[in-house]
Amino acid sequence: MKIPRFFLAGAYSGSGKTTLTCGLLQAFVNRGLSVSSFKCGPDYIDPMFHEGCIGVKSRNLDLFFTSEEMVRTLFCHNAAGSDLAVLEGVMGFYDGVGITTTQASSYHLAKTVKAPVILVVNGRGMSLSLAALIKGFLDFCPDNQIAGVILNQVSAGLYTQLKETIENQLGIAVLGYLPRLADCSLESRHLGLVTAAEVSDLQDKLQKLAATVEETIDLDRLLQLADSAPDMQAQDWQPPMPQKSLPVNIAVARDKAFCFYYGDSLALLEKMGARLLPFSPLEDKTLPAGADGLLLGGGYPELYARQLSENQEMLRSVAAAISDGMPTVAECGGFMYLHRQLEAQDGTLYPMVGAVAGDCFKTDRLRRFGYATFTANQDTALCRQGECAKGHEFHYWDSNVNGNSFTAIKPNGSKSWECIQAAGNLFAGFPHLYWPGCPQFAKSFVECCQSYHNQKV
């Protein structure tokens, strides 16, 4: 497949790659190009932002969750038919799952999909030292695929001088700069606890960013670099399929409180024959008619705890469905929603579904943050004892009944803990799973939904 592509990598977190990526995506969309975007790592926010506000298809690629071959397969599957694919890195370019490894880093992903890399460097507070910083990235791994540099937060006058110095001394192309635009910054603090659609004057900010990058960045050169990327070779996406072809309906919570889903995880369920029925625990009164399964993703239930609690009809509908044996997967925010009580952002306790016999409360720091491998301690609806899935946790809230159906272990083995309640057809806990990385779990979920459907019939 011919897929024009380039990879935006930061020298470190805070380099400005998110703001730059959004500006470039909007600028290319304004030019009439069909663009797909990809985010390195376990990030829900950026893909939601790219899809919901810029209107481009966006997916995650993660080399901790899946193999290199699967990453290439998902990349080709999702980029097919696009004029351009833009990949955004995570953290610093060489930062991987551990302090001393590049595994699952932006560098690792760029090499896996053979994408020319554009290094984004924040020039605030530096001048000639920028050249030394860039040289370090160029020399650290000679096979880095870095084909150009973009400077962030530098003035037009400083940029002209820096461009000449960097190109002459390092032999690397400097493709443009982004001046400081305080009113257009789209960093995580603007998106962290609200969905992208709730950022004020968002479209105006995006269009201003796009107009700026048209003036200050050589977009034609970027397109040339993208076009120079070699053809991709990847297998078709052929996950294990359920034994029966019976279509089933899975209700999926989709609103401001529950919005964290990997696009490829949902696509995998559909590929396996599931029809996804979106509903809102905030606004709707009952689960969708004909639902054979329930998927409660992560999100921000703590911010909408009062409204969720006041929707008594929905609480009863969910509780009744779980009590009746409806196959249910609840991750993080969805797990919190199933508790007897949830402490809201302001400290108030609100009654919730009650399917999980415990309470969920606020803490002062991230709990069990990051990647982990989850191994089943017993047979569950989704897997047999001893089977594993890779995923991650990211939450400030905690529970007094986290469950013990699985044991989680960090990639370096430094920490482990018990987690997930998996009794009957309920699978609920703080971990987020990436279904393409554990397709057997998705297959088992769909088969459970098929069995539940047959029992109803």
Side-chain angles (χ1 to χ4, degrees):
M1 295 179 64
K2 176 65 175 177
I3 304 175
R5 58 196 181 275
F6 64 81
F7 194 113
L8 290 168
Y12 47 83
S13 291
S15 297
K17 58 184 178 294
T18 296
T19 300
L20 178 61
T21 300
C22 291
L24 289 172
L25 288 173
Q26 188 65 65
F28 288 127
V29 168
N30 290 351
R31 286 188 171 196
L33 297 179
S34 171
V35 185
S36 56
S37 71
F38 297 86
K39 174 66 179 180
C40 177
D43 186 312
Y44 292 105
I45 297 296
D46 287 351
M48 285 168 49
F49 186 87
H50 298 161
E51 287 196 337
C53 299
I54 302 174
V56 302
K57 183 177 183 179
S58 187
R59 292 291 187 266
N60 295 80
L61 297 173
D62 193 300
L63 284 160
F64 176 74
F65 293 154
T66 63
S67 67
E68 293 183 359
E69 185 57 45
M70 178 56 71
V71 160
R72 284 189 286 267
T73 294
L74 292 173
F75 174 74
C76 290
H77 176 79
N78 288 300
S82 299
D83 299 319
L84 173 68
V86 177
L87 299 97
E88 180 186 347
V90 63
M91 300 177 65
F93 183 45
Y94 294 112
D95 298 329
V97 295
I99 295 175
T100 61
T101 178
T102 61
Q103 180 192 358
S105 65
S106 299
Y107 160 78
H108 188 185
L109 179 58
K111 284 180 60 63
T112 298
V113 299
K114 297 180 172 60
V117 174
I118 311 302
L119 187 66
V120 182
V121 183
N122 192 324
R124 189 174 183 182
M126 286 192 285
S127 54
L128 188 59
S129 295
L130 279 171
L133 177 64
I134 295 166
K135 180 174 172 54
F137 277 87
L138 294 174
D139 292 346
F140 187 72
C141 289
D143 61 347
N144 53 63
Q145 300 179 177
I146 297 175
V149 176
I150 292 177
L151 305 182
N152 187 35
Q153 294 204 37
V154 299
S155 65
L158 181 60
Y159 169 73
T160 301
Q161 299 176 66
L162 288 173
K163 173 180 170 65
E164 181 179 0
T165 300
I166 292 170
E167 290 184 338
N168 287 342
Q169 293 196 14
L170 304 182
I172 187 76
V174 182
L175 304 177
Y177 72 101
L178 195 62
R180 188 178 183 189
L181 299 169
D183 57 338
C184 287
S185 177
L186 297 171
E187 298 173 15
S188 58
R189 65 176 179 271
H190 297 98
L191 303 176
L193 291 179
V194 293
T195 58
E198 297 173 278
V199 179
S200 62
D201 303 322
L202 184 55
Q203 293 302 322
D204 289 341
K205 292 178 179 178
L206 286 171
Q207 292 300 338
K208 184 174 181 179
L209 269 174
T212 300
V213 301
E214 278 280 5
E215 293 180 1
T216 63
I217 295 175
D218 191 343
L219 300 188
D220 293 331
R221 183 73 179 278
L222 279 177
L223 291 174
Q224 291 173 2
L225 281 173
D227 199 53
S228 72
D231 290 355
M232 289 287 294
Q233 292 184 349
Q235 299 175 353
D236 292 335
W237 191 14
Q238 296 179 334
M241 300 300 288
Q243 294 181 0
K244 302 176 183 179
S245 59
L246 175 69
V248 293
N249 299 315
I250 298 178
V252 183
R254 300 297 296 264
D255 57 21
K256 293 185 293 186
F258 303 98
C259 50
F260 289 170
Y261 297 95
Y262 289 118
D264 283 328
S265 291
L266 299 180
L268 178 58
L269 293 176
E270 291 179 316
K271 195 174 182 68
M272 290 179 170
R275 290 190 293 249
L276 305 184
L277 307 178
F279 74 99
S280 171
L282 288 169
E283 304 292 343
D284 296 330
K285 299 305 179 184
T286 63
L287 292 175
D292 305 306
L294 175 59
L295 183 57
L296 297 165
Y300 308 115
E302 70 276 11
L303 299 184
Y304 303 97
R306 179 176 177 178
Q307 187 176 348
L308 289 169
S309 183
E310 289 177 347
N311 192 351
Q312 291 290 312
E313 295 92 337
M314 179 58 77
L315 294 179
R316 288 193 292 268
S317 180
V318 172
I322 295 175
S323 178
D324 187 51
M326 179 181 287
T328 300
V329 173
E331 295 184 340
C332 201
F335 175 55
M336 294 162 63
Y337 179 60
L338 295 184
H339 281 68
R340 290 179 307 201
Q341 292 188 113
L342 169 61
E343 183 180 2
Q345 178 76 22
D346 63 4
T348 305
L349 288 173
Y350 289 99
M352 290 291 152
V353 172
V356 171
D359 301 322
C360 201
F361 52 90
K362 180 172 58 174
T363 73
D364 59 356
R365 59 186 174 84
L366 281 170
R367 317 298 297 189
R368 302 180 292 280
F369 165 68
Y371 288 124
T373 298
F374 303 94
T375 303
N377 298 325
Q378 62 192 53
D379 291 348
T380 76
L382 300 192
C383 66
R384 307 291 291 179
Q385 181 179 359
E387 292 183 337
C388 301
K390 291 183 177 180
H392 65 101
E393 292 197 26
F394 187 100
H395 51 96
Y396 286 88
W397 268 245
D398 211 341
S399 168
N400 54 17
V401 286
N402 280 302
N404 58 7
S405 298
F406 282 72
T407 296
I409 185 167
K410 300 288 286 182
N412 60 4
S414 63
K415 184 178 180 181
S416 65
W417 62 94
E418 292 186 332
C419 57
I420 301 177
Q421 294 202 22
N425 278 345
L426 177 64
F427 186 96
F430 276 113
H432 296 274
L433 300 184
Y434 183 71
W435 297 99
C438 52
Q440 193 66 35
F441 281 55
K443 173 177 175 287
S444 297
F445 181 45
V446 172
E447 289 176 341
C448 282
C449 295
Q450 290 175 340
S451 296
Y452 180 76
H453 174 89
N454 290 337
Q455 292 170 9
K456 288 192 303 179
V457 172

